[in-house]
Amino acid sequence: MNYEKLLKNELLKSYGCTEPIALAYAAARISSLLNEDLEQMQLFCSSNIIKNVNSVVIPNTNYKKGIEVAAAIGYIVKKYEDKLELLKNVKDEDIEQIDDLCKKITVNLEVGVPNLFIKIIAYTKNNKAQIIIVNEHTNIAYLSLNDKLLIDTYKNSVEEEYRLDFDDIYTYCKLANLDNVKDLLKEQYELNYKIAQEGIKNNYGANIGKLMLSSTKNESLAYACAGSDARMSGSALSVMIVSGSGNQGICASVPVYLHAKKINASEDELIKALAFSNLITLYLKSKIEKLSAYCGVVSAASAAICAIAMLDKQDKKVIERCLINSLAISSGIFCDGAKASCAAKIASALNSAFLAYEQAKSNNNFNFNDGIIKNNLQNTVDAICNVARYGMAQTDVVILEQMLKKDKQ
């Protein structure tokens, strides 16, 4: 496995939550193609796209939320070449157009498609365009203008499954020269710590980070939550994602960075630990689709605590047991979309991960065959991935049904 290439593919900058941005990106690409005033737009989205766009604040829109808003602002801005950071280009006059454009947009649930799926059909006075995004947030699998094909790879589009191995990742992060990814990993902790500081300083969402800082005094945990507070509530700061998620990127990097500072670890030790945290996150997500009913911060929190154990110079067996313990405790957290409460789920997952670490250090581990804990790490990860990917598929449907049942004020 080329881990250097994997890190460069997965650690990407995003300005806002990735699912609304994927919608905005698709609409921006269509807009640049049509280059006319919109008359009608039809959105066809998978349940996970609808779930993750429904309640999160979209940056630079005066705190607006919603699927129509994401598509409308993308169509207005057009700057699709900036990919996941395209909403940096929003101007005040753009915001004024959003509400009128939203009236021209209809949203439909598309079933029987991959979990990350967006199709847009847009009409102007003279033209019609269609786009499909699938599996990756900026992966255009189909594009047409007036029924003339420009891109058509949809039938061959599958979400890439990385064949990752814990032992191999551990050896790579301990022994490999990471100079070629050092700047990328430094940028990750710098960006993600910056948004964490923003969440501590100002009021965002439910202020989970501030509450955790005052109640637990655990900076690593509190700042990770604060980063999510800010990001889910419209902060105008970019983050570095991993596995398609900014919350996972924050959770996998901020606690590791702060722990390294606390123990005066060297820069080389920090870089190795950050590489380990990101790669273990990807390892844990490698058999689960990027979007699912399984909360991704469980993977990132479990990975982060393993990286903290590496910084503490724990041996490999302790790190393995730490990972198994953490997954055993937290794997039941489900995803009900991107929103303010994601910060609290980070708090829960990291709290459990810190407990798992204390268990591993003191040899108070869960026993094999307790629940779905298997006789080794790989078999345990496989079992959890099977539950997440296949067992929770119907859970995803029920979650969306409940989300779409709006209670009256």
Side-chain angles (χ1 to χ4, degrees), residues 214-277:
S214 64
S215 62
T216 69
K217 308 302 181 185
N218 186 330
E219 263 197 338
S220 295
L221 191 156
Y223 273 76
C225 298
S228 180
D229 283 327
R231 182 170 173 271
M232 293 291 94
S233 300
S235 168
L237 291 171
S238 294
V239 302
M240 189 78 81
I241 68 173
V242 67
S243 193
S245 164
N247 279 339
Q248 289 177 61
I250 291 167
C251 191
S253 59
V254 171
V256 180
Y257 168 64
L258 286 171
H259 188 75
K261 280 181 62 178
K262 180 180 177 182
I263 65 171
N264 295 314
S266 69
E267 181 180 75
D268 182 63
E269 290 171 328
L270 170 59
I271 295 301
K272 287 180 181 295
L274 284 168
F276 190 58
S277 183

Side-chain angles (χ1 to χ4, degrees), residues 53-58 61 63-70 232 339:
V53 182
N54 186 65
S55 302
V56 68
V57 175
I58 300 167
T61 62
Y63 301 99
K64 293 181 183 293
K65 303 177 181 179
I67 300 164
E68 296 90 343
V69 173
M232 293 291 94
K339 67 236 169 288

Side-chain angles (χ1 to χ4, degrees), residues 11-15 84-85 88 187 191 238-241:
L11 271 62
L12 305 170
K13 286 190 284 188
S14 176
Y15 189 82
L84 295 177
E85 291 195 289
K88 279 187 171 182
E187 187 176 23
L191 282 176
S238 294
V239 302
M240 189 78 81
I241 68 173

Side-chain angles (χ1 to χ4, degrees), residues 17 57 60 76 94 111 138 159:
C17 181
V57 175
N60 282 352
I76 293 164
D94 297 332
V111 299
T138 57
E159 184 170 358

Side-chain angles (χ1 to χ4, degrees), residues 5 15 26 66 74 106 116 173 304 307 329 333 344 352 392:
K5 181 180 177 182
Y15 189 82
T106 58
L116 200 166
C173 293
I329 299 169
I333 300 177
S352 296
M392 296 180 78

Side-chain angles (χ1 to χ4, degrees), residues 354-382:
F354 277 108
L355 171 60
Y357 184 25
E358 293 303 317
Q359 284 182 273
K361 286 192 293 184
S362 61
N363 200 28
N364 284 297
N365 300 302
F366 299 119
N367 295 320
F368 299 138
N369 296 319
D370 282 353
I372 59 172
I373 299 175
K374 300 300 181 181
N375 61 349
N376 60 46
L377 174 60
Q378 186 58 56
N379 288 343
T380 301
V381 171
D382 287 345

